[in-house]
């Protein structure tokens, strides 16, 4: 262990104007039926525990705490800077910066800014995520919910272990999402991805700029570096109203089946995207549609495709 603050056994903790620095395992941990209120707090440079190299996150919420965090910075932590898991876990995070999260010290995976799993509900308002790894903010699992308002996510890096990923935002395995006024800039592989049946995400006022290839494109995954603005796969549903998608390395939008991570076989259904009031411009391909019988009219509700090398393409491209 070596945690900076632990809140457990139905306790309540209120912390104002504090620094948690170079602790082990987690800077702050809360679990069970507890209440945590943080304001004007910095959590930085948390290290993994000495016994096995696990952890290193800034804020760890498990199995039921109710947390309110205002005016906070999470910088230079490891694995996942802010993590919420469990069906009764709630987090309201506002006026925050989440930066420079490094990967897991042993596996080299992760490095995420925010992780939401197991039915946790997280609301983020007025925040910047920058230079995190793997996925800047990710929600996974039925009933897991991630809602974003006035958020910028930029310059996400690929995983240390293999140079893959580098996503800005991801929802999977039935997670739910809503977002208003989000900007994604200079992320890798796919700036925003939704996966799996039951995953539903709705976004309004979205800007997606300069989706880059994953870092391994320089060597181990040459020719498969992707660089996609919006991607929907395996039965997920994405709806976007008032948006811009520009400067993608591969394509602005991609709809495909994706593959089962265990078997490698294509998933049974493809993803869907519904677009309203926006522009897709300055990409090699505007939309890459690999889903049979998808009505491309769903991409054209007052949507302008311009200055792409090709607006619509059905070629089988890397997913």
């Amino acid at each position: 262990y070596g945690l900076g603050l632990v809140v457990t056994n139905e306790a309540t903790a209120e912390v104002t104007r504090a620094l948690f620095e170079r602790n082990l395992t987690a800077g702050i941990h809360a679990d069970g039926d507890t209440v945590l209120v943080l304001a004007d707090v910095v959590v930085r440079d948390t290290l993994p525990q000495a016994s096995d190299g696990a952890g290193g996150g800034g804020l760890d919420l498990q199995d039921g705490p109710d947390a309110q965090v205002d005016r906070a910075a999470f910088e230079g932590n490891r694995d996942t800077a802010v993590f919420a898991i469990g069906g009764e876990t709630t987090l309201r995070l506002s006026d925050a910066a989440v930066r420079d999260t490094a990967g897991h010290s042993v596996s080299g995976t992760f490095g995420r800014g925010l992780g939401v799993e197991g039915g946790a509900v997280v609301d983020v308002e007025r925040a910047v995520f920058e230079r995190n790894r793997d996925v800047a903010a990710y929600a996974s699992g039925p009933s897991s919910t991630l809602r974003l308002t006035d958020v910028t996510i930029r310059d996400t890096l690929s995983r240390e272990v293999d140079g893959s990923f580098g996503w800005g935002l991801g929802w999977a395995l039935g997670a739910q999402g809503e977002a208003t006024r989000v900007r994604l800039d200079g992320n890798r592989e796919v700036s925003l991805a939704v996966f799996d049946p039951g995953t539903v995400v709705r976004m309004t006022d979205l800007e997606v700029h300069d989706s880059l290839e994953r870092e391994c494109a320089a060597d181990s995954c040459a020719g498969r570096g992707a660089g996609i603005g919006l991607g929907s796969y395996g039965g997920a549903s994405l709806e976007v109203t008032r948006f811009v998608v520009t400067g993608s390395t591969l394509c602005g939008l991609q709809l495909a089946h994706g593959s089962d991570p265990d078997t490698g076989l294509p998933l049974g259904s493809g993803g869907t995207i519904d677009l309203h009031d926006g522009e897709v411009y300055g990409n090699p391909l505007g939309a890459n549609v690999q889903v049979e019988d998808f009505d491309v009219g769903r991409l054209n509700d007052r949507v302008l495709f311009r200055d792409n090398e090709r607006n619509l393409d059905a070629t089988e491209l890397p997913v």
Side-chain angles (χ1 to χ4, degrees):
Y1 296 107
L3 300 97
L5 170 66
V6 177
V7 186
T8 190
N9 293 334
E10 303 184 6
T12 295
E14 298 184 13
V15 181
T16 303
R17 294 186 301 278
L19 169 65
F20 295 82
E21 185 175 49
R22 295 190 301 275
N23 297 288
L24 303 181
T25 312
I28 301 171
H29 169 90
D31 62 56
D33 186 16
T34 56
V35 176
L36 174 65
V37 180
L38 304 175
D40 302 300
V41 168
V42 175
V43 184
R44 67 184 177 212
D45 300 334
T46 311
L47 299 168
Q49 65 183 15
S51 60
D52 59 5
L59 175 62
D60 182 38
L61 305 172
Q62 297 191 21
D63 301 323
D66 178 23
Q68 174 78 47
V69 181
D70 298 308
R71 298 180 305 280
F74 298 90
E75 300 175 336
N77 300 291
R78 282 191 169 273
D79 200 334
T80 303
V82 178
F83 182 58
I85 186 170
E88 301 298 321
T89 301
T90 60
L91 167 64
R92 296 169 300 285
L93 176 66
S94 65
D95 300 297
V98 183
R99 301 186 178 105
D100 302 314
T101 311
H104 188 284
S105 63
V106 177
S107 69
T109 58
F110 291 93
R112 295 176 179 175
L114 170 64
V116 184
E117 296 183 12
V121 176
V122 174
D123 290 275
V124 180
E125 186 172 5
R126 296 184 305 276
V128 59
F129 294 77
E130 56 189 352
R131 297 183 303 276
N132 299 289
R133 288 187 175 272
D134 190 51
V135 187
Y138 184 74
S140 175
S143 300
S144 297
T145 301
L146 173 60
R147 295 185 286 253
L148 307 167
T149 305
D150 297 310
V151 171
T152 295
I153 298 176
R154 59 186 173 224
D155 302 330
T156 309
L157 302 170
S158 295
R159 301 194 303 185
E160 295 169 343
V161 65
D162 59 7
S164 65
F165 289 86
W167 304 358
L169 277 170
W171 283 266
L173 296 174
Q176 306 296 296
E178 296 178 11
T180 303
R181 294 183 301 277
V182 169
R183 180 181 175 110
L184 305 174
D185 201 344
N187 300 291
R188 292 182 175 272
E189 193 170 295
V190 55
S191 288
L192 187 157
V194 294
F195 278 86
D196 305 312
T199 300
V200 178
V201 177
R202 295 182 175 87
M203 310 193 77
T204 305
D205 298 312
L206 172 69
E207 293 186 49
V208 182
H209 297 265
D210 301 327
S211 303
L212 308 174
E213 291 185 307
R214 60 188 90 160
E215 292 176 32
C216 64
D219 42 59
S220 62
C221 67
R224 297 180 290 110
I228 300 159
L230 307 178
S232 183
Y233 309 98
S237 172
L238 174 64
E239 183 173 7
V240 186
T241 302
R242 294 194 302 272
F243 69 93
V244 167
V245 179
T246 185
S248 305
T249 302
L250 180 64
C251 58
L253 321 170
Q254 187 178 65
L255 293 82
H257 284 259
S259 59
D260 186 300
D262 296 320
T263 67
L265 298 174
L267 295 169
S269 56
T272 65
I273 298 178
D274 292 274
L275 299 179
H276 316 281
D277 300 303
E279 289 187 83
V280 181
Y281 70 92
N283 308 283
L285 300 175
N288 173 233
V289 179
Q290 301 181 43
V291 178
E292 309 85 351
D293 302 323
F294 177 77
D295 178 7
V296 296
R298 296 171 66 175
L299 307 176
N300 283 300
D301 179 24
R302 300 181 302 279
V303 176
L304 177 63
F305 286 79
R306 64 177 176 87
D307 301 326
N308 303 294
E309 294 179 23
R310 185 180 301 170
N311 287 332
L312 179 65
D313 183 88
T315 303
E316 186 170 321
L317 298 176
V319 175

